[in-house]
Amino acid sequence: MSPDTTANPIRRVLVSGAAAAGETLAFWLDRRGFDVTVVEKWSAPRSGGFAVDLRGAAITVADRMGLLPRFTERSVPMKEVANFDAAGEVVWRAEGNYAHTDGDLEILRDDLTEILCSTNSGIRHIWGDSIVGLAETDGGVRVGFEHAEPELFDLVVGADGLHSNVRALAFGPEERFGKHLGYYTAVFEAPDVVDMDSQMWLCTIPGAMASLVQWGPEAGTRGSFIVAAPHVRALGRAGRADQMRLVDECLGASDAWHVPALLRAMRASEDFYFDEVTQIHMPRWSAGRVALVGDAAYAPTLMSGQGTSVAVVGAYVLAAELAAADGDHGRAFDRYEQRVRPFVERNQQLANTAEEARIPATQQDLDERNAMIRSAMNSTSDHLDDVTADAANAIDLSVYTAA
Ligand SMILES: Cc1cc2nc3c(=O)[nH]c(=O)nc-3n(C[C@H](O)[C@H](O)[C@H](O)COP(=O)(O)OP(=O)(O)OC[C@H]3O[C@@H](n4cnc5c(N)ncnc54)[C@H](O)[C@@H]3O)c2cc1C
C-alpha cells in the first residue's frame, strides 16, 4: 500500500506524456502516495513503431512493478534474424534474437504502452491535451493547457519524447540539445510484400537499411527504412508528405532486395511513424520545479536499442528519489541525475558502437562491416550482445527497495 506522504510538501505532480517513461513514473509516484496527473497529446495511447526491447535493469523495474508476467506473455517471438545483400543473397543469419541475452524481452511498443496505461487506469489522465505555459511561483508551477483550465502543481515532469514540449517551454529549443546522428527512420505496415513467420530480415545498402519484420502468427508484417540524410534537419516534426518524400528521394531509384515493394507499402500505410535519429544531450535535466525523463531528457535513439529500457529505469529512479527526498525536490533531482547520468551516457554510446546498426556510406565499407559481423557471429567468446548487456546493467537498483 502507499506510504504516508502527507508530510511531504510535494503532492501534486503533472507528468506530460503517456508512454514508457511517463507511465512508469506515474505508476511509481502513485504507489508512493503522490497525487499524479498525466497529460497526453493524443486522445488515446499513441500507437505506431516497431517492437522495443526491455533489458537488464529495466527488467528489474518491470519485475518490481509486477508486470513482468504480462510483458512476457505479450513478448514477440523471433525465430531468426537474417541480413541480405541488394541481390537478395544471405550475408549473415542468426537463430532467435541474436541481440538478446537471457531474460531480455522484446515487445511491440503498442502493447507495452497499452499494458502500462491499463495498469495506471486509476490515475488521472487528461487525454488529447498539451501544456502551453509553465509559470513557476513560490508555491508551485502554474500550468496552462491547450484545452483544460489552468492548474497549480508542485512539480511538472516532461516525459513527452524526443520533441518534448516541456523541454522547449522550460529549457529552450530542441536545436540546443539535439545531436542529429544523420539518419531518419520510417516504420509502416507492410502486408503482402513477402510471407514471413517470426523473422526479422534486413538489407543494408550504402546509405540505407531496409527491414521487414513479422512477430508471430497473429501479428502483421511491418517494414522500416533508415536512410542517411545528414544535411536534412528537423524533418521529424514535418508533415507526412515531406517525410515520405525524403525516403523516396533516398531510395526511389533503388531496385535492391524488396525495397520497391516496401516503398509501395510505405506510401499506402495508414500507421506511418517517422522520426529523425537524434540523441538528446542536456547539461542538466531539471530547472526549478520542472524535470525531464526518458527521450525528452536523454534520447539514445533506436540505433542504441536501449531507448525504452533507459526511459523505464530513469523514471523509476526519479520516482524513488522524489519519495526519499522528503519534499526537497532539488535534492531529489540532483540524486536522480547523479545516479542515472552515467547509465545514460553508457547507453547513448551504444548508438555509435553497434556495428550491425551502422549504415556504411560506401560498398567497400559495407563489405568490411559484413565480414566483421560474420566473424563476431561465429565467435563463441565475442558476442555482439555483450556490450549492450553491460550497458543495460550499468546501474545499481539494489539501493532502492522494491516497494
Ligand atoms: C509512435 C512512436 C513509435 C516509436 N517507434 C519506435 C521504434 O520502432 N523503435 C524504437 O527503438 N523506438 C521507437 N520509438 C521511441 C521509443 O518509444 C522511445 O525511445 C522509448 O520508448 C522512450 O520512451 P519515452 O516515453 O521517453 O518517449 P516516447 O515513446 O516518445 O513517448 C512520448 C509520449 O509523449 C507524448 N507527447 C508528445 N508530445 C506531447 C505533448 N506536447 N503533450 C503531451 N504528450 C506529448 C507522445 O504522444 C508519447 O505518448 C517510438 C516512439 C513513438 C512516439
Side-chain angles (χ1 to χ4, degrees), residues 17-28:
E23 293 297 329
T24 304
L25 180 67
F27 175 97
W28 285 107

Side-chain angles (χ1 to χ4, degrees), residues 15-23 38-42 44-53 109-110 112-113 126-127 129-131 146 158-166 185 187 215 222 224 271-275 293-312:
V15 179
S16 174
E23 293 297 329
V38 180
V39 58
E40 163 62 47
K41 184 167 76 169
W42 291 67
R46 168 83 156 96
S47 66
F50 260 8
V52 292
D53 298 298
R109 187 185 174 280
D110 295 1
L112 177 88
T113 314
I126 305 173
W127 295 102
D129 210 341
S130 180
I131 298 170
E146 208 174 313
D160 43 3
L162 179 61
H163 309 298
S164 169
N165 179 44
V166 171
T185 183
V187 181
W215 289 284
R222 291 191 198 185
S224 88
D271 199 5
F272 175 70
Y273 164 69
F274 179 98
D275 215 334
V293 69
D295 274 8
Y298 33 76
T301 75
L302 80 166
M303 311 290 255
S304 75
Q306 276 290 90
T308 304
S309 291
V310 167
V312 163

Side-chain angles (χ1 to χ4, degrees), residues 85-88 203 205 253-260:
D85 65 14
C203 172
I205 56 177
S254 171
D255 62 354
W257 192 56
H258 294 292
V259 169

